mmCIF file of all heavy atoms in Angstrom:
data_model
loop_
_atom_site.group_PDB
_atom_site.id
_atom_site.type_symbol
_atom_site.label_atom_id
_atom_site.label_comp_id
_atom_site.label_asym_id
_atom_site.label_seq_id
_atom_site.Cartn_x
_atom_site.Cartn_y
_atom_site.Cartn_z
ATOM 1 N N LEU A 37 11.236 -1.889 30.641
ATOM 2 C CA LEU A 37 11.371 -0.469 30.424
ATOM 3 C C LEU A 37 10.673 -0.099 29.101
ATOM 4 O O LEU A 37 9.879 0.871 29.063
ATOM 5 C CB LEU A 37 12.884 -0.159 30.316
ATOM 6 C CG LEU A 37 13.381 1.235 30.566
ATOM 7 C CD1 LEU A 37 13.018 1.668 31.973
ATOM 8 C CD2 LEU A 37 14.863 1.289 30.330
ATOM 9 N N ALA A 38 10.952 -0.881 28.075
ATOM 10 C CA ALA A 38 10.352 -0.619 26.774
ATOM 11 C C ALA A 38 8.829 -0.774 26.835
ATOM 12 O O ALA A 38 8.072 0.044 26.282
ATOM 13 C CB ALA A 38 10.928 -1.584 25.729
ATOM 14 N N MET A 39 8.397 -1.808 27.546
ATOM 15 C CA MET A 39 6.959 -2.061 27.604
ATOM 16 C C MET A 39 6.245 -0.935 28.347
ATOM 17 O O MET A 39 5.165 -0.480 27.959
ATOM 18 C CB MET A 39 6.667 -3.416 28.286
ATOM 19 C CG MET A 39 5.277 -3.901 28.068
ATOM 20 S SD MET A 39 5.074 -5.668 28.353
ATOM 21 C CE MET A 39 5.175 -5.721 30.136
ATOM 22 N N GLY A 40 6.900 -0.406 29.409
ATOM 23 C CA GLY A 40 6.365 0.743 30.127
ATOM 24 C C GLY A 40 6.204 1.949 29.228
ATOM 25 O O GLY A 40 5.200 2.684 29.306
ATOM 26 N N MET A 41 7.201 2.164 28.350
ATOM 27 C CA MET A 41 7.148 3.300 27.411
ATOM 28 C C MET A 41 5.995 3.153 26.433
ATOM 29 O O MET A 41 5.302 4.092 26.110
ATOM 30 C CB MET A 41 8.461 3.429 26.673
ATOM 31 C CG MET A 41 9.645 3.845 27.539
ATOM 32 S SD MET A 41 11.176 3.804 26.588
ATOM 33 C CE MET A 41 12.363 4.042 27.920
ATOM 34 N N VAL A 42 5.845 1.912 25.934
ATOM 35 C CA VAL A 42 4.746 1.655 24.982
ATOM 36 C C VAL A 42 3.411 1.977 25.644
ATOM 37 O O VAL A 42 2.561 2.659 25.058
ATOM 38 C CB VAL A 42 4.770 0.184 24.518
ATOM 39 C CG1 VAL A 42 3.512 -0.145 23.667
ATOM 40 C CG2 VAL A 42 6.001 -0.166 23.736
ATOM 41 N N MET A 43 3.262 1.565 26.911
ATOM 42 C CA MET A 43 1.961 1.763 27.600
ATOM 43 C C MET A 43 1.738 3.251 27.906
ATOM 44 O O MET A 43 0.607 3.700 27.870
ATOM 45 C CB MET A 43 1.908 0.920 28.854
ATOM 46 C CG MET A 43 1.785 -0.573 28.609
ATOM 47 S SD MET A 43 0.461 -1.020 27.430
ATOM 48 C CE MET A 43 -0.972 -0.495 28.373
ATOM 49 N N LYS A 44 2.821 3.961 28.223
ATOM 50 C CA LYS A 44 2.692 5.391 28.449
ATOM 51 C C LYS A 44 2.154 6.069 27.194
ATOM 52 O O LYS A 44 1.251 6.923 27.237
ATOM 53 C CB LYS A 44 4.084 6.004 28.758
ATOM 54 C CG LYS A 44 4.334 6.231 30.265
ATOM 55 C CD LYS A 44 5.651 6.930 30.448
ATOM 56 C CE LYS A 44 6.045 6.998 31.919
ATOM 57 N NZ LYS A 44 5.230 7.885 32.742
ATOM 58 N N ALA A 45 2.687 5.702 26.036
ATOM 59 C CA ALA A 45 2.281 6.295 24.780
ATOM 60 C C ALA A 45 0.853 5.884 24.411
ATOM 61 O O ALA A 45 0.093 6.657 23.849
ATOM 62 C CB ALA A 45 3.249 5.892 23.683
ATOM 63 N N ALA A 46 0.476 4.646 24.775
ATOM 64 C CA ALA A 46 -0.838 4.149 24.373
ATOM 65 C C ALA A 46 -1.949 4.723 25.255
ATOM 66 O O ALA A 46 -3.041 4.988 24.766
ATOM 67 C CB ALA A 46 -0.850 2.623 24.463
ATOM 68 N N GLY A 47 -1.687 4.897 26.530
ATOM 69 C CA GLY A 47 -2.689 5.441 27.447
ATOM 70 C C GLY A 47 -3.635 4.393 27.960
ATOM 71 O O GLY A 47 -3.579 3.219 27.576
ATOM 72 N N PRO A 48 -4.515 4.790 28.927
ATOM 73 C CA PRO A 48 -5.303 3.819 29.672
ATOM 74 C C PRO A 48 -6.379 3.100 28.860
ATOM 75 O O PRO A 48 -6.843 2.061 29.282
ATOM 76 C CB PRO A 48 -5.906 4.648 30.804
ATOM 77 C CG PRO A 48 -5.835 6.061 30.328
ATOM 78 C CD PRO A 48 -4.698 6.178 29.407
ATOM 79 N N ASN A 49 -6.815 3.684 27.770
ATOM 80 C CA ASN A 49 -7.899 3.047 27.023
ATOM 81 C C ASN A 49 -7.321 1.989 26.086
ATOM 82 O O ASN A 49 -7.345 2.073 24.858
ATOM 83 C CB ASN A 49 -8.693 4.106 26.212
ATOM 84 C CG ASN A 49 -9.963 3.535 25.653
ATOM 85 O OD1 ASN A 49 -10.445 2.518 26.128
ATOM 86 N ND2 ASN A 49 -10.467 4.167 24.627
ATOM 87 N N THR A 50 -6.745 0.946 26.691
ATOM 88 C CA THR A 50 -6.023 -0.075 25.951
ATOM 89 C C THR A 50 -6.297 -1.455 26.491
ATOM 90 O O THR A 50 -6.418 -1.626 27.697
ATOM 91 C CB THR A 50 -4.473 0.216 26.066
ATOM 92 O OG1 THR A 50 -4.227 1.501 25.572
ATOM 93 C CG2 THR A 50 -3.660 -0.793 25.342
ATOM 94 N N ILE A 51 -6.418 -2.406 25.593
ATOM 95 C CA ILE A 51 -6.539 -3.824 25.973
ATOM 96 C C ILE A 51 -5.237 -4.517 25.539
ATOM 97 O O ILE A 51 -4.776 -4.313 24.426
ATOM 98 C CB ILE A 51 -7.719 -4.525 25.302
ATOM 99 C CG1 ILE A 51 -9.017 -3.834 25.706
ATOM 100 C CG2 ILE A 51 -7.756 -6.009 25.653
ATOM 101 C CD1 ILE A 51 -10.262 -4.338 24.950
ATOM 102 N N VAL A 52 -4.676 -5.332 26.426
ATOM 103 C CA VAL A 52 -3.407 -5.984 26.128
ATOM 104 C C VAL A 52 -3.587 -7.486 26.069
ATOM 105 O O VAL A 52 -4.186 -8.086 26.945
ATOM 106 C CB VAL A 52 -2.319 -5.611 27.184
ATOM 107 C CG1 VAL A 52 -1.085 -6.469 27.027
ATOM 108 C CG2 VAL A 52 -1.966 -4.142 27.085
ATOM 109 N N ALA A 53 -3.045 -8.074 24.992
ATOM 110 C CA ALA A 53 -2.899 -9.553 24.958
ATOM 111 C C ALA A 53 -1.406 -9.814 25.073
ATOM 112 O O ALA A 53 -0.614 -9.252 24.340
ATOM 113 C CB ALA A 53 -3.437 -10.089 23.634
ATOM 114 N N ASN A 54 -1.042 -10.695 26.001
ATOM 115 C CA ASN A 54 0.375 -10.913 26.297
ATOM 116 C C ASN A 54 0.717 -12.381 26.183
ATOM 117 O O ASN A 54 0.144 -13.249 26.829
ATOM 118 C CB ASN A 54 0.602 -10.402 27.749
ATOM 119 C CG ASN A 54 2.054 -10.092 28.042
ATOM 120 O OD1 ASN A 54 2.355 -9.422 29.020
ATOM 121 N ND2 ASN A 54 3.000 -10.600 27.252
ATOM 122 N N ALA A 55 1.705 -12.638 25.314
ATOM 123 C CA ALA A 55 2.157 -14.043 25.171
ATOM 124 C C ALA A 55 2.864 -14.506 26.385
ATOM 125 O O ALA A 55 3.374 -13.729 27.201
ATOM 126 C CB ALA A 55 3.095 -14.149 23.964
ATOM 127 N N THR A 56 2.962 -15.818 26.558
ATOM 128 C CA THR A 56 3.819 -16.397 27.583
ATOM 129 C C THR A 56 5.229 -15.909 27.388
ATOM 130 O O THR A 56 5.723 -15.840 26.277
ATOM 131 C CB THR A 56 3.757 -17.941 27.460
ATOM 132 O OG1 THR A 56 2.438 -18.333 27.792
ATOM 133 C CG2 THR A 56 4.722 -18.586 28.432
ATOM 134 N N GLY A 57 5.907 -15.555 28.494
ATOM 135 C CA GLY A 57 7.251 -15.033 28.376
ATOM 136 C C GLY A 57 7.636 -14.306 29.609
ATOM 137 O O GLY A 57 6.844 -14.243 30.584
ATOM 138 N N CYS A 58 8.832 -13.732 29.617
ATOM 139 C CA CYS A 58 9.289 -12.963 30.784
ATOM 140 C C CYS A 58 8.289 -11.943 31.250
ATOM 141 O O CYS A 58 7.945 -11.868 32.433
ATOM 142 C CB CYS A 58 10.581 -12.257 30.453
ATOM 143 S SG CYS A 58 12.063 -13.262 30.501
#
Side-chain angles (χ1 to χ4, degrees):
Chain A
L37 202 62
M39 195 161 73
M41 291 174 190
V42 172
M43 291 309 296
K44 261 184 187 292
N49 192 20
T50 301
I51 299 174
V52 170
N54 200 163
T56 294
C58 281

